[in-house]
Amino acid sequence: MTARIVADGNRREEPAQGAPLLSLRGLVKHFPVRRSFLSNETFSVKAVDGVSLDVPPGKTVGLVGESGCGKTTLGRLAIRLIDPDAGGIFFEGREITTLAGEELRRLRLGMQIVFQDPYSSLNPRMRIRDIVGEGWLVHGIAKGKALRERAERLLMRVGLPADAADKYPHEFSGGQRQRIGIARAISLSPRLVVADEPVSALDVSVQAQILNLLRDLQDEDGIGYLFVSHDLRVIRHMCDIVAVMYLGVIVELAPAADLFREPLHPYTRSLLSALPMAGGGRREQIVLAGEIPSPIHVPPGCRFHTRCFMSKPSCREQEPALEERCAGRFVACPYA
Ligand SMILES: Nc1ncnc2c1ncn2[C@@H]1O[C@H](COP(=O)(O)OP(=O)(O)OP(=O)(O)O)[C@@H](O)[C@H]1O
Ligand SMILES: [Mg+2]
């Protein structure tokens, strides 16, 4: 297995054999929105606007960036919860971009999601054993007494008592509910789990426990994670590789250790300037000009130029490609 990061801009070719667990190639997702409820005029929200990214088996690839930059949309595209407008999705070397019906249902055995909100993502009227065992029922793996026993073992694996199986979601704290959400996600032994802000709705005091549970499960089962967070400390704790997103595109992609030691893209530099460095101390704080632009009106050229402290006139003209700067490090800025 190679841990090489492949990021080839918008090219749409199939990944090589012996390939990553997940490969995204030139993915695009635009959402049409009406200007107002009185008007028929529509705009498109460029939520994901040409993203290529690989997740190697058993590794954690982080998606980080400000609210609205497209992290959740990309995570949902990756596991076919929503359909892309363009681009390709490959899972274990096989194209899954347009799978439907029974084939798509079987794909769910291999890829799952943990949601941000452990309150709304669990059906309040279902017992925990039926929540975590739903996949077993659907796929004919277990039912009745066997399902119940399996559910108890699974709940103990994620750090809950076996008798949690008979209870309902409201009987648990936020951290416990997220353990239930994780149990549901791993119930079918997936090779890929998308974790979308899995701890951001939780108290800081329980965040580390949930993150450590995710890491333990990865060590035991070799799960690959596509890990979404806007919290850089969480990303630093969890990820092997980090993709920094800005307005629907990846602006920097690098092994986590390299990225946190020396961020290259001006956007990444500004994000990290707020964070204490690994050896203590702080970088010089870089405060960005203005607000993040609307993904409806993406600036021309480099989409970051309106807020960039290094911006040059040429940045308004041409959109920079995500290019490999040195081994495994990709940056979408010619001046970085
Ligand atoms: N179903 C939808 N219809 C219209 N617009 C959408 C839809 N889903 C997402 N968007 C828009 O697409 C953009 C990207 O949203 P997304 O949820 O992927 O961002 P995010 O990076 O996950 O943000 P956050 O950190 O707040 O979770 C946003 O502008 C959002 O409003
Ligand atoms: Mg999100």
Side-chain angles (χ1 to χ4, degrees):
M1 195 265 310
T2 74
R4 196 170 78 88
I5 306 167
V6 180
D8 55 358
N10 291 338
R11 272 193 289 145
R12 164 90 167 72
E13 59 196 34
E14 302 196 9
Q17 284 303 310
L21 178 65
L22 175 76
S23 291
L24 309 177
R25 288 294 173 272
L27 279 190
V28 174
K29 182 70 182 178
H30 293 178
F31 293 106
V33 287
R34 289 241 299 266
R35 183 192 193 106
S36 78
F37 71 98
L38 291 173
S39 137
N40 281 329
E41 202 183 341
T42 60
F43 288 109
S44 72
V45 178
K46 298 174 184 71
V48 171
D49 211 16
V51 167
S52 298
L53 180 69
D54 286 356
V55 179
K59 301 278 178 193
T60 302
V61 176
L63 293 179
V64 68
E66 285 163 288
S67 182
C69 70
K71 305 178 297 293
T72 292
T73 305
L74 187 61
R76 292 182 174 207
L77 287 169
I79 60 169
R80 292 290 325 278
L81 291 179
I82 53 176
D83 294 325
D85 299 330
I89 307 162
F90 300 82
F91 184 60
E92 299 182 320
R94 166 181 180 227
E95 174 145 28
I96 62 162
T97 321
T98 57
L99 282 193
E102 174 59 22
E103 281 193 307
L104 183 60
R105 209 172 66 98
R106 251 185 289 131
L107 184 71
R108 301 267 174 257
L109 289 162
M111 40 174 49
Q112 289 291 330
I113 186 165
V114 174
F115 294 97
Q116 166 171 2
D117 185 350
Y119 294 89
S120 66
S121 63
L122 304 178
N123 184 336
R125 284 181 295 276
M126 280 169 76
R127 285 184 200 277
I128 305 306
R129 63 164 182 264
D130 296 322
I131 291 174
V132 302
E134 199 168 17
W136 302 330
L137 259 187
V138 170
H139 292 277
I141 293 167
K143 59 180 180 180
K145 185 157 171 281
L147 183 144
R148 189 213 166 88
E149 283 167 10
R150 260 183 110 114
E152 287 176 357
R153 282 200 300 276
L154 179 62
L155 290 166
M156 289 196 288
R157 228 191 128 193
V158 298
L160 290 169
D163 68 5
D166 295 324
K167 298 185 174 167
Y168 289 90
H170 73 263
E171 299 177 65
F172 296 92
S173 68
Q176 288 171 323
R177 284 187 218 199
Q178 198 55 304
R179 289 177 193 271
I180 295 164
I182 291 167
R184 172 174 61 187
I186 64 163
S187 65
L188 295 167
S189 307
R191 275 89 69 207
L192 175 73
V193 169
V194 171
D196 188 357
E197 305 269 10
V199 297
S200 53
L202 305 178
D203 287 347
V204 174
S205 57
V206 295
Q207 288 188 354
Q209 296 167 19
I210 297 297
L211 294 175
N212 290 337
L213 171 65
L214 288 168
R215 281 170 67 137
D216 290 346
L217 294 170
Q218 178 173 60
D219 289 345
E220 290 161 21
D221 291 1
I223 303 168
Y225 289 128
L226 185 59
F227 190 95
V228 174
S229 180
H230 64 273
D231 186 331
L232 286 158
R233 285 160 307 177
V234 171
I235 291 279
R236 180 158 67 186
H237 183 68
M238 291 299 286
C239 298
D240 300 296
I241 295 164
V242 180
V244 180
M245 289 186 73
Y246 187 79
L247 281 182
V249 298
I250 294 177
V251 295
E252 180 157 5
L253 178 65
D258 296 344
L259 186 109
F260 282 98
R261 192 182 57 246
E262 192 192 18
L264 297 180
H265 194 282
Y267 180 59
T268 320
R269 285 174 56 195
S270 72
L271 285 182
L272 264 59
S273 73
L275 204 69
M277 288 190 286
R282 247 172 222 279
R283 298 181 173 89
E284 190 189 343
Q285 179 109 28
I286 303 168
V287 179
L288 293 180
E291 294 285 304
I292 188 165
S294 156
I296 295 173
H297 304 289
V298 171
C302 172
R303 41 192 91 194
F304 182 58
H305 84 259
T306 57
R307 299 168 79 198
C308 182
F309 54 91
M310 290 167 40
S311 175
K312 303 192 184 352
S314 63
C315 299
R316 278 171 228 175
E317 268 130 50
Q318 201 173 353
E319 175 147 32
L322 187 62
E323 284 175 340
E324 189 162 18
R325 197 53 60 81
C326 50
R329 300 207 59 170
F330 296 79
V331 190
C333 175
Y335 307 109

